[in-house]
Amino acid sequence: MKVKKRFIGFMVLMMCFISFGVTAFAGETELKNKKWVSGQGGVYETEEDGTIVYNSYGTVYYKIKIPKQGYIIVDVKTSSLPGKDDYNAQDDEYDGDLSDPGVTNADLLNSSKKVLSENSNILNEKKNYSFSWAVKKGTYYLAVSGDQKYNIRYAFTAVTKVSKSGASAKNAVSLKKGKLVKDLLLPRKYHYFKIDLPKKTKVTIVFDSKLKDSNSMELTMVLAVKKGKDYRFVDGKGKLVAKNNAVWWEIKGKEKVTLNLPKGTYYVRMDGGSTSGYYTMKWK
């Protein structure tokens, strides 16, 4: 039997379940720092002829007010809606996993509701996910949609002062031994630092990264040296790697990178890819 699907745009969500003591209704709800809100993307209903249809509640917008510069981490927990398995099973043309729990999208928007970051569990096949973003004072929104139950919250941390970094290897900032670097990294931007070694040295850099996204993108570090007019990537022993190749270190949470480098000047590049957030680093 081919399933009939009926989608309803914005409507008041009268059947939300209560999970963490707060229930969200379709429309626009202001979130409070570190407070969970629950909702659901729609509801499965049985019609008079026994056919199960899915009624979508559309996109729910949650407002976030940020008081000052810093970063947020958004946590999303999901579960299947009642009737999901029966809905899938009645469709003879459905060739997916009948136990597929569904999807929840949670996009971060700016004050004009322009998308800054797209996040979902559709690719990672996980029930729960988190993502981070560097923010300034102002209003942001979370646009949530899908076909699951969900609980969502954000946690804001203020960062009053950030360290100086270079936007290219040419203007890289010297990384001083023992000095803690604290920085907010924007998407598709690099931070460059340089290390000057008067002799062969064992270099240990410790990190604490708060960057994350729903597709497991993390903070990464690469190392380079200047050769003529070019900058060439090197490995942890300072050896050149093939052109157009690179050795990189993934930084997840608290990590330590140990390098054994000959005398010279080395350029450290920090990269968050398409994600954004906060990290610290120190040459110990």
Side-chain angles (χ1 to χ4, degrees):
M1 179 187 299
K2 190 172 182 179
V3 180
K4 293 185 294 182
K5 297 182 180 180
R6 184 172 70 237
F7 294 92
I8 299 175
F10 266 64
M11 62 181 293
V12 177
L13 180 55
M14 301 301 295
M15 300 179 65
C16 282
F17 73 109
I18 299 176
S19 178
F20 286 83
V22 183
T23 301
F25 293 88
E28 189 175 294
T29 301
E30 183 174 338
L31 294 183
K32 302 299 182 182
N33 191 23
K34 299 180 181 180
K35 300 295 184 182
W36 289 96
V37 168
S38 64
Q40 61 192 65
V43 63
Y44 291 98
E45 297 179 327
T46 303
E47 298 193 328
E48 292 183 0
D49 63 358
T51 301
I52 300 173
V53 297
Y54 178 63
N55 291 330
S56 171
Y57 292 146
T59 301
V60 180
Y61 293 90
Y62 297 97
K63 181 185 291 186
I64 297 175
K65 290 185 177 180
I66 300 299
K68 59 185 69 175
Q69 174 181 270
Y71 67 95
I72 60 172
I73 294 179
V74 177
D75 297 311
V76 183
K77 296 182 177 181
T78 72
S79 59
S80 296
L81 282 170
K84 173 72 173 181
D85 291 346
D86 293 336
Y87 174 78
N88 289 339
Q90 74 182 348
D91 189 352
D92 294 335
E93 297 180 5
Y94 183 79
D95 58 0
D97 181 359
L98 292 180
S99 63
D100 173 23
V103 61
T104 295
N105 307 302
D107 297 339
L108 180 67
L109 318 180
N110 64 13
S111 59
S112 301
K113 294 190 175 179
K114 178 182 177 181
V115 176
L116 300 174
S117 174
E118 296 180 333
N119 300 276
S120 176
N121 55 355
I122 191 170
L123 295 179
N124 60 26
E125 298 181 350
K126 294 181 179 179
K127 291 176 60 178
N128 308 324
Y129 61 90
S130 302
F131 63 92
S132 62
W133 205 259
V135 291
K136 297 180 180 180
K137 179 180 179 180
T139 299
Y140 297 81
Y141 295 89
L142 290 171
V144 183
S145 62
D147 59 356
Q148 293 180 304
K149 293 181 180 180
Y150 61 83
N151 295 286
I152 191 167
R153 72 173 178 183
Y154 81 95
F156 168 73
T157 302
V159 179
T160 56
K161 186 177 180 180
V162 297
S163 303
K164 186 178 180 181
S165 62
S168 67
K170 184 178 180 180
N171 58 19
V173 172
S174 292
L175 184 62
K176 302 298 184 181
K177 189 172 184 178
K179 184 177 181 180
L180 182 66
V181 172
K182 300 184 291 184
D183 233 329
L184 292 166
L185 187 57
L186 297 177
R188 300 177 182 86
K189 299 291 185 181
Y190 297 141
H191 288 171
Y192 286 89
F193 304 89
K194 64 180 179 180
I195 298 175
D196 294 306
L197 301 179
K199 60 181 180 179
K200 184 177 180 179
T201 306
K202 180 179 179 179
V203 175
T204 299
I205 306 176
V206 293
F207 295 91
D208 187 3
S209 172
K210 306 299 183 183
L211 276 77
K212 58 181 65 179
D213 80 352
S214 59
N215 294 318
S216 300
M217 292 288 291
E218 306 284 352
L219 182 68
T220 60
M221 183 193 90
V222 295
L223 196 64
V225 295
K226 189 174 183 181
K227 290 292 182 181
K229 296 182 179 180
D230 299 325
Y231 293 88
R232 293 279 304 277
F233 293 124
V234 297
D235 62 17
K237 295 183 179 180
K239 295 182 179 180
L240 293 175
V241 298
K243 284 189 176 182
N244 302 319
N245 288 340
V247 174
W248 65 89
W249 290 261
E250 293 184 348
I251 311 300
K252 299 180 180 181
K254 294 183 179 181
E255 295 273 4
K256 179 172 67 174
V257 174
T258 300
L259 310 165
N260 293 286
L261 302 173
K263 174 183 176 181
T265 298
Y266 296 86
Y267 297 85
V268 176
R269 189 186 78 184
M270 304 308 302
D271 176 17
S274 60
T275 191
S276 173
Y278 175 77
Y279 72 97
T280 67
M281 62 185 294
K282 180 190 285 189
W283 173 14
K284 295 192 72 175

